[in-house]
Amino acid sequence: MKCLVTGGNVKVLGKAVHSLSRIGDELYLEPLEDGLSLRTVNSSRSAYACFLFAPLFFQLYQAATPGQDPLRCKILMKSFLSVFRSLVMLEKTVEKCCISLNGRSSLLVVQLHCKYGVRKTHNLSFQDCESLQAVFDPASCPHMLRAPAKVLGEAILPFPLALAEVTLGIGHGHRVILRSYQEEEADSTVKAMVTEMSIGEEDFQQLQAQEGVAITFCLKEFRGLLSFAESANLSLSIHFDAPGRPAIFTITDSLLDAHFVLATLSEPSPNSQDLCSPELCRQAPQLQAHSTPHLDDFANDDIDSYMIAMETMVGSEGSRTLPSISLSPGLQPPCNSGPHSEEEDEAEPSTVPGTPPPKKFRSLFFGSILAPAHSPQGPSPVLAEDSEGEG
């Protein structure tokens, strides 16, 4: 495989790598007839991302040597990110970038041709692997909205960088609401700040969603995709269904396509009922009960149809196939309904389901809250004596 990127497309490629680095620790590079595919998935299988660069994106694109099958490889994200670490340097000094894949030497060679004849060569070792694929269909989602990335980017600016999740919903008058997600288990004595942004329907290029629907997803990955789309001046489409079903974020252009599949919380935000009308609010408990998976029937979870990730390591004793449950390992039904301790939850990360389900498992996904065992069980004791007794 050999491809040559020139001009401003070098920075576009670097921005895509930066977006992927917000999700996974490994990069799957696969040359296809339709273009060069860059994919990644996070460790909990709750987020998947793919960039497909069309052959027209490159000045030169050769998927495979004539007479040979195309190579697939997996490399560490940090190694590939180090090549495109400084986006300012890419824009000011790099004139073209040449990427070649050599199966004999097991090296991915990235050459940066800079000004004044300077050439930087990066030899990155890789591993052969099977194709990483996610099965999803944006057309099957009943709700969709499309807006310029700049509009959505400005809407999330007020949210703090430490915020882990954000709730997106449709309010009165078809206004799109973005609200910071708050934990129900949080100490009721502490009043956390809630940030909410409202965007009018006229700011969207397309909006097909009923009032009252709301989903909650991780903000970190959303920021990465928005940053890329905004720098390329592209529109972003969001396809989603009921809470607990993955949300699909897409960018479509003549030179590239991007798909991000993010898990959503299976139970709606405690403040999500503020978005809906009285009629829809009465239907909310039915939606919540329908979308929350039962532990005894987790194999039939909706997320199964979204992700099939297979990975084969060269040099291993056999092929290691990831579970067919799309974004995370499967959940084994417990033998009894008794309470589990925090130590048991942390000792068995493989029991975490794919979409962020009940809050018991949520801290293992996003690491944004303390475990329930560390939260105070009641009001703090008052150590001072009664002031009236001093009289």
Side-chain angles (χ1 to χ4, degrees), residues 8 234 268 388:
L234 297 174
E388 295 180 358

Side-chain angles (χ1 to χ4, degrees), residues 101-122:
L101 190 61
N102 192 339
R104 296 181 180 179
S105 60
S106 296
L107 289 177
L108 177 67
V109 181
V110 182
Q111 287 187 340
L112 300 179
H113 298 258
C114 307
K115 294 180 178 180
Y116 311 112
V118 177
R119 181 180 300 179
K120 300 179 181 179
T121 303
H122 302 264

Side-chain angles (χ1 to χ4, degrees), residues 4 43 46 106 111 115-116 164 183 229 240 259 262 284 333 382 389:
L4 182 64
S43 58
S46 62
S106 296
Q111 287 187 340
K115 294 180 178 180
Y116 311 112
E183 286 295 333
F240 61 97
H259 293 83
L262 304 182
V382 179

Side-chain angles (χ1 to χ4, degrees), residues 74-349:
K74 179 182 69 174
I75 60 178
L76 291 176
M77 183 67 73
K78 290 184 178 180
S79 301
F80 200 71
L81 180 63
S82 63
V83 181
F84 306 94
R85 176 71 66 180
S86 176
L87 296 176
V88 177
M89 183 271 295
L90 292 177
E91 185 177 13
K92 293 184 177 181
T93 64
V94 178
E95 297 178 344
K96 58 183 178 180
C97 172
C98 181
I99 303 176
S100 59
L101 190 61
N102 192 339
R104 296 181 180 179
S105 60
S106 296
L107 289 177
L108 177 67
V109 181
V110 182
Q111 287 187 340
L112 300 179
H113 298 258
C114 307
K115 294 180 178 180
Y116 311 112
V118 177
R119 181 180 300 179
K120 300 179 181 179
T121 303
H122 302 264
N123 296 318
L124 309 178
S125 59
F126 67 85
Q127 293 176 322
D128 293 335
C129 65
E130 293 296 328
S131 177
L132 177 70
Q133 273 293 353
V135 180
F136 55 88
D137 183 15
S140 64
C141 298
H143 312 298
M144 191 275 285
L145 57 89
R146 180 184 297 113
K150 184 177 180 180
V151 173
L152 297 174
E154 293 177 352
I156 66 171
L157 278 179
F159 294 101
L161 296 178
L163 181 65
E165 294 90 28
V166 65
T167 298
L168 183 147
I170 309 299
H172 299 290
H174 266 72
R175 296 189 66 86
V176 177
I177 309 297
L178 288 169
R179 176 181 295 163
S180 56
Y181 179 79
Q182 300 297 329
E183 286 295 333
E184 293 180 354
E185 293 85 357
D187 186 6
S188 58
T189 61
V190 179
K191 295 183 178 180
M193 181 183 67
V194 177
T195 304
E196 178 179 308
M197 295 295 294
S198 176
I199 311 174
E201 183 180 4
E202 63 276 3
D203 293 327
F204 288 83
Q205 298 167 340
Q206 188 175 359
L207 179 58
Q208 298 176 356
Q210 63 180 3
E211 295 185 8
V213 296
I215 56 171
T216 301
F217 50 88
C218 190
L219 183 58
K220 177 183 177 182
E221 290 84 353
F222 185 53
R223 288 184 189 273
L225 181 60
L226 272 182
S227 176
F228 172 83
E230 192 171 356
S231 65
N233 196 22
L234 297 174
S235 297
L236 175 66
S237 300
I238 305 177
H239 307 261
F240 61 97
D241 202 339
R245 305 231 13 214
I248 306 171
F249 303 79
T250 62
I251 297 176
T252 303
D253 187 68
S254 59
L255 298 181
L256 61 91
D257 290 331
H259 293 83
F260 278 46
V261 183
L262 304 182
T264 61
L265 288 181
S266 59
E267 50 187 26
S269 170
N271 297 325
S272 62
Q273 291 190 0
D274 298 341
L275 304 175
C276 55
S277 60
E279 295 180 358
L280 293 175
C281 287
R282 289 193 293 268
Q283 300 174 2
Q286 300 177 1
L287 177 62
Q288 179 179 356
H290 174 73
S291 61
T292 303
H294 296 281
L295 296 180
D296 294 335
D297 194 24
F298 203 83
N300 295 326
D301 189 22
D302 295 331
I303 205 170
D304 295 350
S305 61
Y306 276 81
M307 180 77 183
I308 300 176
M310 301 184 63
E311 177 183 5
T312 302
M313 302 293 295
V314 174
S316 60
E317 297 178 357
S319 61
R320 180 172 63 88
T321 303
L322 297 177
S324 60
I325 292 181
S326 53
L327 298 178
S328 94
L331 175 64
Q332 299 294 332
C335 297
N336 52 59
S337 58
H340 295 275
S341 63
E342 180 193 358
E343 290 78 5
E344 292 177 352
D345 293 338
E346 294 180 353
E348 298 178 1

